[in-house]
Structure formats: structure tokens, C-alpha cells
Amino acid sequence: MKKDNIENLIALSNDLRWQIGDDFHDNLTEGIYADAAEIVSAAVHKKDEKGKLRFDARIDKIITSRTWGFPLMFLVLATVLWLTIVGANYPSAFLGNILLDHIHPFLKTLATNIGFPIWLNGFLIDGVYLAVAWVVAVMLPPMAIFFPLFTLLEDFGYLPRVAFNLDNLFKRAGAHGKQALTMSMGFGCNAAGVVATRIIDSPRERLIAIITNNFSLCNGRWPTQILIATIFVGAVVPQSFSGIASLAAVIGIAVLGMGFMFLTSWALSKTVLKGEVSTFNLELPPYRPPRFWKTIYTSLIDRTLIVLWRAIVFAAPAGAVIWLISNLHIGDITIAAWTIDLFNPFGFLLGLNGVILLAYVVAIPANEIVIPTILMLTVLVTGISGGAGAGVMFEADSANATGDILRSGGWTLLTAINLMLFSLLHNPCSTTIYTIYKETKSVKWTVVASILPVIMGFVVTFLVAQIWRILA
Amino acid sequence: MDTLPKSACEACPQFNANGLKKLGINTTEFDFVVALAGNPNTGKSTVFNSLTGLKQHTGNWPGKTVTRAEGGFEYNNQKFKLVDLPGTYSLLSTSEDEEVARNFILFGKPSVTIIVVDASRLERNLNLVLQVLEITDRAVLCLNLIDEAERNNIEVDTRSLARDLGIPVVATSARYYRGIPELIQTVSDLANGRIHCKPHRIKNIPENIEKAVQKLSIELKKEFPEIPNSRWIAFRLLEGDRHIIELLRKGEFVI
């Protein structure tokens, strides 16, 4: 009887386990380490006890110190952002010039000459093409700078140090220390950050990390923050400080996002996702000089182009939708104008307006197209000249021109600040939502992760608007 | 055997480097399965990429390989499938990544297991190496990041190490492709049975445990003469590994 024999075997192993006692595991591990020590002492010779290991330890002493850890982190973040913001300007202007000022009129003429009907011409070239061109011109340069910089930091070995520095905060928030790593990935792309949460073993802590990843400002939202901060925040301080004030405002929003992430993690871990914080050991890897060109190459190919392609795939249909709602009529007004009127009272309560809310609905597929949509819709409702026609997305030539259009749409400093806040606190883009579903396999948690930030966005902007109006 | 080298040149990995074809993810048909095990952050994924020509994302932080990656390469007309296991410090605990690695080495029966270690942190890494050697007979130690060790003035005597561990040892720096041809040659030699290992078995075990393991192991062999590794399974039974007990009950050990 084979079955009996197997049960006998298991019984025998249980008996033996009793005999050898509890410390079997410890004894085994000790035995292994004793063997390892013997082998190493025969095979490894250290010529010089000083050297790079000491050097690494010295760097770590500063980077992970209580005093310097956090300031250095912000300094690194600020430097990366500054390089991205400043460096992206020139290639963006160049691409915008080519794609929007030269190729667009050319395509337009071409389509007219071939004999496209007007609606198809408008739909394809003013809708789809312009949306794609905007995304390429505005997104490609910052991504091509941000991703390689981030990858270089990653290769160098800085990320685990960030996790080390933040571990205590995460622990107090009831979350896993490795969430620091997934949070950092979220600064590039939330969908990537959500996938990265697989490094967290405990399902409870992983869920917290997934739900709160959206509080990391992603690549699609950095340009919005930067543009609005430059136009409105930079304008209220003297000219010579405007650059610093804008940078500070953007970093302020990013840090506020981290604050919300800790707060939400803490609230979740105290209510619906209660549980113990799991301990883990994190090895601080040695600093390695990154292989510069190889890193640049792979991060451009693997990250930048893939993310860009995704944005294009989503931007194209969104561009078409924008064109459609601005050109199809209900009665004698367009669908866009009708919806904006509907949203306006609610928008006012939040210190925003109907245009912004509609833009956020249209831009669910890709955060990148929020600003061009807002500009286009503002031109539509104010009836000022400056745009390229109904439902045509465009990039205003300079930040000043963009500012003029927005001010004529009734924008104030409050609108700008609340837009920045709402850009931080709203639903994740559709790709991220889909990724959350794929990772959690749960409709419930996908809905929570999508709705929770919007509600927080409504509450925060509402409070800011009320306090602002009382004080002003 | 027609695969035996006929001259010194043909036995030389540098000469044979031309025989390498990176197959990327095309692993439909293959002659051998090769597992890649190692501690986190020892450069396993870099070794994986340099063997398969794939561009799996690598990064200097532990635990970034979250799923099992597979790829392939062809060497001297033989196809090898390479499986990159999650990095673990040990194979003794119950966490998911350790179970994946442990079960693949035990039941996936790879023809060869490449154990990647950080040359500068050998002592810590050997913990896993010795555990892997308890499970499998055919393994090669890939002493990676050797360039860093050299910069740190750490000298590793690969011959002494190979003798003590009972498996071939190849020093590599996968980032710079150093030692990779030698590694491929060694894997090929192991897979084709041209190298025989006498892997180290853990010695410093208290006598009562050793006796219990032997007793159980003998009983296991009686019951399952074909069992892949009775000694390791005895260890797991003494640990009370539920997964193993369940497999025993189902009789799914024996293939």
C-alpha cells in the first residue's frame, strides 16, 4: 500500500522533527555559514582593508544621514527637475515649430488639394494629427531628459538609499518601505510604478502602494505643472525671482503629493487595510559607475519611446473627440459649450471652471493633453481670436500668449493654483487604471484607486477656494 | 562522442565564441534548460541579457526582477533555454520568490544551474550557493562583478573555490562581457556531461540532525527510487514544508 507508506514517511518526519527540536532551522543555517566561512577563508584574500568598500560607506554615511539625507534628496530631485524643465524648452520649441507651424499647414493644404471633405479634413488633421503632434512636441523632450537621468541615478545605486531614508516614514504610515521605490518609479509613469509594486510581498501593503501611486506626479503632469507655475506663480514675484518661484511651486506640489501619499497610506492601513508592517532587509548595493552611453541608449529605447507610443495611441482618438464635441451642435450651441455651461457652477465652487473640468474628462486617456484642450476650449467659449478655429488644438507661441488666453477666460492666481492641485489629485489615466485592474484583478480596488484621488481633489480645491475667497 | 574537441583550439572558449547565437525570447525548441540563480543585486539580469541578447531592464536595486524571465541562446548547434529566477538570499523560507526558485531547481530539473555571486561579497553569497548545491549536481559558479572585487583589492582564488565547492568556477564581469565566453563553454560542457561535479554537501551539521536526515532519506529512496534529491527533500520534511508534503501525498515527485 503506497499510500500508507507515504503517510508513514510523513509521520516519521514529524517524529524526527520533535526529536531534533525547535532549533533545526537555526542549526542548519549555522552549519551552512560555518561551511561558507571555511571555504572563503581558503579562497579569498584581501590585500588591503581600505579601499572602495570604505569609500562606499563614507558616501552612505552622508547620503543616509539624519541631517543630510532629506536635504540631499530634495536637492537631487530639484536638480533633475531643473535640468528637465530648462533643457526641454529648446527641443520642444523646435519640434513645435516643425510639427505645428510647418507640417500642419502643409497637410491642411495637401488635404484640400486632394479634395478631402471639410469634416474629414478637420477631423483627421486638426483633430488627430494636432493631438499627436502636441504630445510629441511637449512630451518627447522632457521624457528624453528625465528618463535617462532617472536611469543613471538608478544604475548608480541611489534608489535603495532613498528607500532607506524614507523607510521610517513609510513604517509609521503602516506601509512597506519598498513603496519608496515604487513611488519613485511613479514620478516617471504611474502605470510603471503600479507594475513595480510586485516587489512588495505582502498583499495588504502592495495594495496600499498601488492605490497611492497616483500621488506621484507623473510625466504627463509635469508639463502642466511647469507651464501653469511659470505663467501665474512666476508672474506675482519680481522678474528676477520668477524662475525660482516657479520651480519652488512645482517642487511644492510634488512634495505635497508625497504628503498625500503618506496620509492616504496611513488612513488605509488604519481602516480598511489593517495589518502588521512587514519587515524586510534591504541591501544597500555598492555604488557603481553607470555605463553612461549604454544607459542613455537603453532608457531612450526601452522607456521613452514605449511611453511616447502609448501617449500617441491615446492622444489620437482624444484629439478626434475634442474636434467632434466642438463641431457637433445641440440646438444652436456645440456639445462642448453646452457641457461647459453645465459644469461651470460646480467648477466655480472648486475655484476652477467648466472648461477645466471638461478638459479633464476628455483627457482621461492621457494627462498630457489637458493644457491644449483647456486652451482650445477657452478660445471657443470666450470667442477671442488666437486659436486656429473651432476644435483645433494648438500650442500658443509663448507662455505669455497662453497666459493672455487663459486670463481672458477669467483665470486668476486661484484658478492656476487649484488647477495645479487638481492635476495632482485626480483620477489616474486610463492606462494606469487598466494596469491597476490587471495587477489587482479586483474591480473593487480598481474603482477605489480611481475614485479616491478625485474626491480628495474636489475636497482640497473646494477648501482652498473658500478660504481664498474669504481672505481675499 | 562527436562533440569531443579535436584540438586545443576547439576546446578554447574564445575560439568557439563564434558558435554563439543569441536567440532572444525564441525558446520553442531546445536541447537543454539552464537556470540562473543568485542573491539579489549580483547582476543576474545582466548575465541573462549578455547570454540571450535580450534587453531585460537592469537596475542597481535589489529585487527588480519580479517575474521569471526566459530567453535562449544557441551554442555549437545546441539550443539552450535560460530561465532567470528571482534573486533570493536563501531557499529555506516560505516567501513566494524563494519557493519559485527552490521548486524550479528541484522539479524543473534544469540541465545546468548557473549560480551568480558577487565576488566582493562571497561569504554572504555562499549561503545560497551551498543550499543550491544540496539540491542539484550540475552547477557552475559565476563569480560576477569580478572587476569591482579587483578594484576593492579582493583576490579570489577560483581554483581553490572550485575544489572546495566541487563545481567549476568562472570569473566574469557581465557588464563588460568579460568571462561570458568561458561561462558559455562551461555550461555547454556540463550539459553535455564533459564535466562532472562533486558538489559540496553541508558538513557542519549537528550529529542528531545529520542522523535524522539520513534515516529519512533512506526511507524516501525506498519509497521513491527515482526521487530527484532525497537528502534535500528530507531537509524540507524536517522543516515541515507543506508544499513538499502535499506533493508527496499526490505522488507528484516522480516523473
Side-chain angles (χ1 to χ4, degrees):
Chain A
M1 284 309 292
K2 196 141 186 162
K3 191 115 198 153
D4 290 347
N5 290 344
I6 292 168
E7 290 306 321
N8 285 341
L9 252 177
I10 294 168
L12 173 67
S13 69
N14 287 338
D15 285 350
L16 288 170
R17 196 178 319 133
W18 276 110
Q19 284 173 32
I20 54 180
D22 268 349
D23 41 7
F24 167 67
H25 193 110
D26 292 346
N27 282 333
L28 183 59
T29 312
E30 262 171 41
I32 293 173
Y33 274 104
D35 277 27
E38 275 175 24
I39 295 170
V40 164
S41 72
V44 176
H45 309 284
K46 282 182 191 164
K47 279 191 288 196
D48 181 6
E49 280 295 322
K50 281 178 229 158
K52 200 160 161 281
L53 287 175
R54 283 276 182 88
F55 184 62
D56 273 19
R58 270 214 299 267
I59 300 181
D60 275 340
K61 220 170 196 169
I62 302 167
I63 284 187
T64 61
S65 82
R66 273 164 195 274
T67 334
W68 296 107
F70 279 88
L72 276 173
M73 248 163 48
F74 289 120
L75 193 69
V76 168
L77 179 68
T79 312
V80 168
L81 278 181
W82 187 79
L83 285 173
T84 308
I85 293 171
V86 174
N89 272 335
Y90 306 100
S92 269
F94 173 74
L95 284 173
N97 183 22
I98 289 191
L99 295 174
L100 304 169
D101 296 346
H102 288 95
I103 296 184
H104 178 241
F106 170 77
L107 285 176
K108 203 75 181 151
T109 328
L110 189 73
T112 319
N113 289 344
I114 294 173
F116 271 22
I118 287 178
W119 63 269
L120 187 64
N121 188 333
F123 180 80
L124 282 180
I125 294 168
D126 293 338
V128 176
Y129 170 77
L130 272 189
V132 171
W134 165 273
V135 167
V136 172
V138 175
M139 272 187 74
L140 180 60
M143 279 196 326
I145 298 172
F146 185 82
F147 277 149
L149 283 179
F150 194 81
T151 316
L152 283 175
L153 277 180
E154 198 183 330
D155 276 6
F156 177 61
Y158 187 61
L159 285 194
R161 272 82 188 179
V162 172
F164 182 86
N165 283 340
L166 293 178
D167 177 53
N168 195 24
L169 281 175
F170 279 103
K171 198 153 100 193
R172 270 192 259 164
H176 199 287
K178 282 189 192 166
Q179 198 177 319
L181 296 172
T182 67
M183 181 195 76
S184 313
M185 297 299 287
F187 281 127
C189 169
N190 293 134
V194 168
V195 174
T197 60
R198 290 181 189 170
I199 57 172
I200 298 171
D201 312 322
S202 127
R204 178 189 79 87
E205 287 156 331
R206 188 171 168 213
L207 212 46
I208 293 181
I210 287 177
I211 293 171
T212 58
N213 195 272
N214 188 40
F215 296 122
S216 293
L217 268 187
C218 73
N219 217 8
R221 293 182 273 172
W222 289 112
T224 308
Q225 300 288 348
I226 293 160
L227 188 67
I228 299 300
T230 312
I231 295 172
F232 288 94
V233 180
V236 294
V237 294
Q239 185 78 40
S240 49
F241 294 108
S242 66
I244 294 174
S246 327
L247 186 64
V250 175
I251 292 178
I253 292 284
V255 172
L256 189 69
M258 288 165 74
F260 271 102
M261 186 207 51
F262 281 119
L263 194 73
T264 314
S265 301
W266 177 80
L268 285 170
S269 72
K270 288 283 171 282
T271 53
V272 279
L273 290 171
K274 258 186 224 165
E276 288 294 307
V277 176
S278 48
T279 53
F280 68 104
N281 48 44
L282 180 75
E283 190 173 355
L284 293 183
Y287 292 103
R288 293 185 178 135
R291 293 191 67 188
F292 192 78
W293 293 111
K294 200 179 169 201
T295 305
I296 301 282
Y297 172 81
T298 48
S299 68
L300 275 180
I301 299 299
D302 292 356
R303 288 190 173 178
T304 312
L305 290 187
I306 285 173
V307 174
L308 185 72
W309 175 243
R310 183 192 76 79
I312 289 174
V313 166
F314 280 105
V321 167
I322 293 169
W323 188 85
L324 277 178
I325 59 169
S326 335
N327 283 279
L328 294 180
H329 291 71
I330 301 176
D332 52 356
I333 56 168
T334 63
I335 297 180
W338 184 82
T339 325
I340 289 167
D341 280 346
L342 186 77
F343 283 168
N344 254 332
F346 185 52
F348 178 78
L349 275 182
L350 303 180
L352 299 168
N353 57 41
V355 169
I356 297 174
L357 292 181
L358 176 61
Y360 268 100
V361 174
V362 174
I364 286 176
N367 282 300
E368 297 77 20
I369 56 174
V370 163
I371 287 293
T373 310
I374 287 176
L375 284 178
M376 186 271 297
L377 293 171
T378 305
V379 171
L380 188 81
V381 290
T382 53
I384 55 164
S385 61
V392 181
M393 283 214 294
F394 61 93
E395 182 182 17
D397 302 337
S398 65
N400 283 337
T402 311
D404 289 342
I405 294 175
L406 293 176
R407 283 191 197 91
S408 68
W411 282 49
T412 61
L413 186 57
L414 170 67
T415 325
I417 288 175
N418 271 1
L419 174 66
M420 289 173 78
L421 287 170
F422 194 70
S423 159
L424 174 71
L425 302 168
H426 72 93
N427 56 286
C429 72
S430 51
T431 312
T432 307
I433 296 177
Y434 177 63
T435 310
I436 293 173
Y437 176 72
K438 268 201 308 191
E439 294 294 321
T440 59
K441 296 259 181 286
S442 146
V443 177
K444 182 181 126 196
W445 289 115
T446 310
V447 169
V448 169
S450 311
I451 303 292
L452 190 71
V454 192
I455 296 173
M456 293 173 84
F458 285 158
V459 171
V460 169
T461 49
F462 175 78
L463 288 178
V464 169
Q466 302 320 310
I467 294 169
W468 186 285
R469 280 170 189 148
I470 290 167
L471 294 180
Chain B
M1 219 156 100
D2 58 354
T3 43
L4 269 178
K6 295 181 191 73
S7 71
C9 266
E10 280 175 43
C12 164
Q14 293 300 344
F15 171 83
N16 269 323
N18 295 331
L20 175 69
K21 239 196 261 170
K22 294 169 179 177
L23 294 178
I25 50 165
N26 179 18
T27 56
T28 39
E29 283 170 34
F30 47 86
D31 301 298
F32 300 109
V33 178
V34 179
L36 204 56
N39 279 23
N41 217 44
T42 50
K44 274 196 315 304
S45 298
T46 315
V47 172
F48 179 84
N49 288 347
S50 61
L51 288 175
T52 58
L54 288 172
K55 289 194 201 72
Q56 211 202 6
H57 177 61
T58 58
N60 192 4
W61 47 288
K64 56 137 231 26
T65 303
V66 281
T67 44
R68 203 175 78 183
E70 295 186 359
F73 64 91
E74 189 179 315
Y75 185 64
N76 292 343
N77 298 321
Q78 287 177 322
K79 286 184 179 168
F80 293 81
K81 176 164 122 177
L82 194 62
V83 180
D84 190 8
L85 300 171
T88 56
Y89 294 101
S90 155
L91 296 175
L92 297 173
S93 91
T94 52
S95 82
E96 200 181 328
D97 45 352
E98 293 194 12
E99 210 156 293
V100 169
R102 180 168 66 216
N103 289 343
F104 187 82
I105 298 172
L106 187 57
F107 304 119
K109 292 203 180 155
S111 317
V112 181
T113 303
I114 303 176
I115 317 168
V116 185
V117 296
D118 179 347
S120 312
R121 291 161 179 75
L122 193 57
E123 182 159 355
R124 182 146 38 108
N125 283 208
L126 276 186
N127 177 36
L128 178 76
V129 176
L130 294 176
Q131 290 177 32
V132 173
L133 293 186
E134 283 291 325
I135 305 180
T136 178
D137 283 343
R138 282 193 284 192
V140 48
L141 189 77
C142 170
L143 196 61
N144 198 26
L145 304 169
I146 193 73
D147 53 321
E148 258 176 39
E150 283 164 359
R151 275 205 303 278
N152 294 340
N153 289 322
I154 294 172
E155 231 173 53
V156 183
D157 181 352
T158 50
R159 290 173 67 184
S160 143
L161 199 57
R163 197 176 52 235
D164 283 346
L165 292 173
I167 56 169
V169 175
V170 182
T172 63
S173 172
R175 261 161 45 116
Y176 304 99
Y177 210 70
R178 203 177 124 190
I180 296 296
E182 288 83 352
L183 180 66
I184 294 170
Q185 178 71 42
T186 312
V187 168
S188 157
D189 286 347
L190 277 165
N192 288 296
R194 287 192 291 264
I195 298 179
H196 292 283
C197 300
K198 273 191 77 182
H200 173 98
R201 293 285 139 100
I202 302 163
K203 280 183 266 168
N204 287 304
I205 297 179
E207 210 173 325
N208 61 336
I209 294 182
E210 185 61 47
K211 268 187 187 154
V213 168
Q214 275 176 14
K215 195 170 171 188
L216 205 51
S217 160
I218 290 167
E219 293 298 317
L220 274 163
K221 266 195 190 141
K222 258 192 229 158
E223 199 56 44
F224 307 100
E226 314 245 318
I227 205 156
N229 186 328
S230 60
R231 191 173 141 93
W232 176 258
I233 288 171
F235 273 125
R236 295 312 300 164
L237 283 178
L238 288 178
E239 187 96 353
D241 184 330
R242 283 166 190 279
H243 183 71
I244 296 276
I245 293 175
E246 200 180 303
L247 285 176
L248 263 185
R249 287 205 167 111
K250 283 194 205 145
E252 273 176 16
F253 269 155
V254 203
I255 301 159

